[in-house]
Amino acid sequence: MGSLFRERRKISDTSLELPAFGMGTAHLGELYGTVEEDVSQATFDAAWNAGVRYYDTAPWYGRGLAEHRLGGYLRTKPRGGFFVTTKVGRTLHRPRVPKTFDRGPWTGGLNFEVRFDYSYDGIMRSYEQALQRLALDTVDALVIHDLDSIFHDDETIERHSRNLSETGMKALGELKSSGDIQAIGMGINMKEQLADLAQKVDLDFALVAMPYTLIDQDSLHAGMKACLDRGVSVIVGAPFASGILATGSAGAAHYNYGAADQSIIEKVQKIEDVCAAHGVSLQAAALQFPMAHPAAASIIPGAAKPEELLANVAFIDDEIPSQFWAELKSKKLIVSDAPVPQGSDK
């Protein structure tokens, strides 16, 4: 097993050091398809046996299902032997009419209605609910989740942001100062948010989904630079850009949690051509690229089956020649001054 897999990186100036490679659990919340219980168990088994010790989850993933599955698995493991991050900002409740309740966008998941709440009481309730689903009495860090225009209109964002700054951050600060958690993060779906809201809140790390991937580095000189300047660590949450960098252009072509448009498909095809010329796996390039950024602390690709998890473990330390990264830059497929992994000279 290579060095990146075994490495731990410090989160900002906190006491938390996370493994550089972890596992996201959105797929086990049944994002793109249902996952049978035995497959979920086998996927966690594969992760644990491979040495994965950092797991990220959220109440939103499968409306509680991912947390239940993760907690059920980790319940039998020594608490000092793994790291867990989960998210706050949503609480889960019994639907008024369960029989007709729509669980979308999850293909399976659980029958719970979501309420957004970034206030002191909302953060605390979200945290307590998560502990119960996880069957744990501690998590290592909490992440403010989905405070962006994908889920809210401008007026609602302003209201939630005010609640967060006036009282919600107080809750997170209390949990951190008491030792309940070691770090405070924010989940970032959009580059505008990374450059704006995430820089206005006192954070230890940003969990970045789409704003910095092998496809898109628009955030390099804005949000990512701001994180670096402020000493805010970055956890890379969607290195496969929600799908297309895992399946390739000929696969399902999910991008930004929807269908990829033609321009994205064509860009991936050009990256694939460079991969073919250098004998490089697209998936390995996608996993390794964002981790070269000096703010990056950990990467948490998801998996819905054991084979996917084991492939990710292998890809993270695949050898990639330096000429590959140079050609991507020369063809303007990645930004010219983007940090890239130290490649071999084969």
Side-chain angles (χ1 to χ4, degrees):
M1 199 64 65
S3 60
L4 186 59
F5 185 86
R6 296 187 181 280
E7 186 179 344
R8 287 192 182 183
R9 298 186 182 183
K10 198 168 187 290
I11 298 298
S12 188
D13 61 353
T14 72
S15 59
L16 181 60
E17 290 187 354
L18 287 176
F21 181 89
M23 175 184 173
T25 61
H27 293 283
L28 296 180
E30 303 182 326
L31 177 60
Y32 295 134
T34 56
V35 179
E36 297 300 325
E37 288 300 320
D38 61 336
V39 176
S40 172
Q41 176 80 16
T43 304
F44 284 128
D45 275 335
W48 187 268
N49 292 336
V52 176
R53 293 298 183 268
Y54 169 34
Y55 304 87
D56 176 76
T57 190
W60 176 229
Y61 299 162
R63 300 176 180 268
L65 179 60
E67 285 182 324
H68 273 294
R69 284 176 159 172
L70 177 62
Y73 185 81
L74 293 178
R75 183 178 59 81
T76 62
K77 307 299 183 185
R79 181 60 188 93
F82 59 84
F83 299 86
V84 173
T85 55
T86 193
K87 304 180 180 71
V88 290
R90 287 179 174 90
T91 56
L92 302 185
H93 307 267
R94 178 185 183 274
R96 190 172 61 85
V97 186
K99 288 184 179 179
T100 59
F101 181 70
D102 181 2
R103 300 182 186 183
W106 308 96
T107 58
L110 301 179
N111 232 32
F112 288 103
E113 182 180 83
V114 164
R115 295 178 195 164
F116 286 97
D117 192 341
Y118 299 89
S119 69
Y120 182 99
D121 289 344
I123 296 291
M124 288 300 196
R125 182 165 188 176
S126 183
Y127 166 64
E128 290 169 357
Q129 287 185 346
L131 292 182
Q132 291 174 357
R133 286 188 294 270
L134 287 165
L136 298 173
D137 55 14
T138 60
V139 293
D140 296 283
L142 289 173
V143 181
I144 304 156
H145 203 199
D146 289 338
L147 184 48
D148 59 47
S149 60
I150 294 176
F151 293 92
H152 314 282
D153 59 31
D154 289 346
E155 182 179 346
T156 306
I157 289 176
E158 183 178 351
R159 174 169 54 84
H160 285 320
S161 299
R162 188 168 58 250
N163 285 339
L164 178 65
S165 62
E166 291 178 355
T167 68
M169 290 304 297
K170 181 175 184 288
L172 290 167
E174 288 179 3
L175 291 171
K176 183 180 174 183
S177 63
S178 68
D180 286 54
I181 61 173
Q182 297 179 66
I184 299 168
M186 175 175 272
I188 306 293
N189 293 313
M190 305 170 66
K191 54 194 171 188
E192 296 83 4
Q193 184 193 21
L194 184 61
D196 184 24
L197 180 61
Q199 308 306 328
K200 296 176 181 176
V201 180
D202 188 14
L203 299 173
D204 300 308
F205 66 94
L207 201 168
V208 174
M210 298 303 295
Y212 194 71
T213 68
L214 188 64
I215 296 175
D216 181 3
Q217 301 93 52
D218 283 354
S219 290
L220 179 64
H221 301 121
M224 293 293 283
K225 182 178 185 301
C227 286
L228 192 61
D229 290 347
R230 292 183 63 201
V232 174
S233 298
V234 171
I235 294 175
V236 179
F240 293 132
S242 86
I244 194 168
L245 291 176
T247 63
S249 61
H254 288 114
Y255 179 72
N256 199 17
Y257 307 101
D261 64 33
Q262 190 59 32
S263 65
I264 293 296
I265 293 172
E266 289 173 359
K267 183 169 186 177
V268 173
Q269 288 171 338
K270 292 176 182 177
I271 295 173
E272 288 171 330
D273 289 341
V274 179
C275 286
H278 293 273
V280 170
S281 158
L282 174 67
Q283 297 88 343
L287 287 178
Q288 293 183 34
F289 169 73
M291 287 301 289
H293 194 283
S298 187
I299 191 165
I300 48 172
K305 56 184 72 170
E307 307 90 89
E308 293 174 355
L309 184 285
L310 294 174
N312 292 341
V313 169
F315 289 140
I316 196 66
D317 280 316
D318 266 6
E319 194 172 86
I320 298 179
S322 55
Q323 296 92 334
F324 169 78
W325 303 112
E327 185 170 344
L328 287 182
K329 290 186 175 184
S330 70
K331 291 186 173 180
K332 300 186 180 343
L333 293 172
I334 59 175
V335 174
S336 61
D337 60 342
V340 295
Q342 183 176 358
S344 67
D345 294 318
K346 66 180 181 180

